[in-house]
Amino acid sequence: MQIPQIHPWPSTVEEAIEIQETLRNQVITTDQLNTPIQYVAGVDMGFLEDGTMCRAAVAVLSFPDLKVVETSLAYRPTSFPYIPGFLSFREIPAILDALEKIKNIPNIILCDGQGIAHPRRFGIACHLGVLVDIPTIGVAKSLLIGKYEELSVVRGSWQPLIHTSETVGAVLRTRTGVKPLYISTGHRISLPTAIDYVLRCTPKYRLPETTRIADKLASNR
């Protein structure tokens, strides 16, 4: 998979904010999927040597049966500190290295993090989607911004995630009686479609199969 170079990687928060403010105008929040959906992918990150080295993992699964068809790993020195709201600058460089190794191009990438449910509407799923021009979904395990009404404990139930009077995502129950996930558009996909594909990728566990497999690879478990 060929990855275009859109911008240099920043070394300061100020430079990172400038990139987010510039690129967020390229985010598409409507459905622009290449159908039929044959492959879905998950990306995740692990860290080695006291956090100084990144290990990025990509897992490509067939869809809808969710069988692993390809995986890749990439290693790179960590070049940006951990700061909430700037996850992409810490993780995406190595993720792009891992994506360059795959041959089966995914139709959708599910990211372990936020999409537009982000203070500047440009979380890691948006950033990655714009860079590789592939539909992406933010599937976060914890809340970054926004408020929501209480939702049913039943799988498939969801509530809008609201921030500054804007719907930026959904709080989605992917397994009955288990903590919800925080879903938001990354790029080239609408929120309703994102919810649908997340549910179709979570047949058994709380997390999508894409994320579970990528996490195991990144963590070397």
Side-chain angles (χ1 to χ4, degrees):
M1 177 175 176
Q2 292 187 336
I3 308 293
Q5 180 68 32
I6 293 182
H7 63 74
W9 293 102
S11 57
T12 67
V13 168
E14 291 74 21
E15 292 171 344
I17 290 174
E18 184 177 354
I19 290 170
Q20 289 178 334
E21 296 285 1
T22 299
L23 293 185
R24 70 178 184 178
N25 296 321
Q26 298 182 30
V27 171
I28 297 168
T29 57
T30 56
D31 291 329
Q32 292 191 10
L33 286 76
N34 296 323
T35 54
I37 304 300
Q38 294 181 297
Y39 300 113
V40 291
V43 297
D44 208 347
M45 181 73 68
F47 292 92
L48 308 169
E49 301 175 13
D50 295 324
T52 61
M53 180 67 70
C54 301
R55 176 166 53 204
V58 175
V60 182
L61 279 61
S62 57
F63 186 85
D65 57 345
L66 303 177
K67 303 298 183 183
V68 177
V69 296
E70 186 177 10
T71 64
S72 71
L73 287 171
Y75 297 82
R76 178 186 277 243
T78 306
S79 59
F80 201 85
Y82 173 75
I83 304 172
F86 298 93
L87 185 67
S88 63
F89 299 99
R90 182 174 172 86
E91 297 192 357
I92 284 184
I95 288 172
L96 293 178
D97 291 344
L99 282 170
E100 281 187 321
K101 297 180 178 182
I102 65 171
K103 297 178 181 179
N104 297 282
I105 309 303
N107 302 103
I108 302 174
I109 300 175
L110 285 73
C111 300
D112 183 19
Q114 312 290 345
I116 65 169
H118 180 276
R120 285 167 295 283
R121 305 296 187 263
F122 199 72
I124 187 170
C126 300
H127 201 160
L128 182 63
V130 168
L131 290 180
V132 300
D133 194 27
I134 290 175
T136 50
I137 304 171
V139 185
K141 296 186 288 289
S142 59
L143 181 68
L144 179 62
I145 60 166
K147 297 181 180 180
Y148 58 95
E149 300 293 330
E150 185 175 349
L151 70 158
S152 166
V153 299
V154 178
R155 168 181 160 82
S157 60
W158 65 276
Q159 289 286 345
L161 181 62
I162 308 297
H163 182 248
T164 60
S165 302
E166 179 185 358
T167 298
V168 295
V171 185
L172 174 66
R173 191 87 64 185
T174 54
R175 189 179 179 192
T176 298
V178 174
K179 289 182 179 180
L181 296 175
Y182 302 89
I183 312 304
S184 55
T185 291
H187 183 53
R188 287 178 52 187
I189 195 165
S190 67
L191 182 58
T193 303
I195 292 170
D196 177 49
Y197 277 102
V198 170
L199 284 172
R200 293 169 75 179
C201 289
T202 53
K204 187 175 180 181
Y205 300 100
R206 178 192 181 213
L207 296 177
E209 290 300 290
T210 48
T211 302
R212 286 197 330 108
I213 295 167
D215 173 69
K216 288 182 178 181
L217 290 167
S219 303
N220 195 28
R221 294 202 302 268

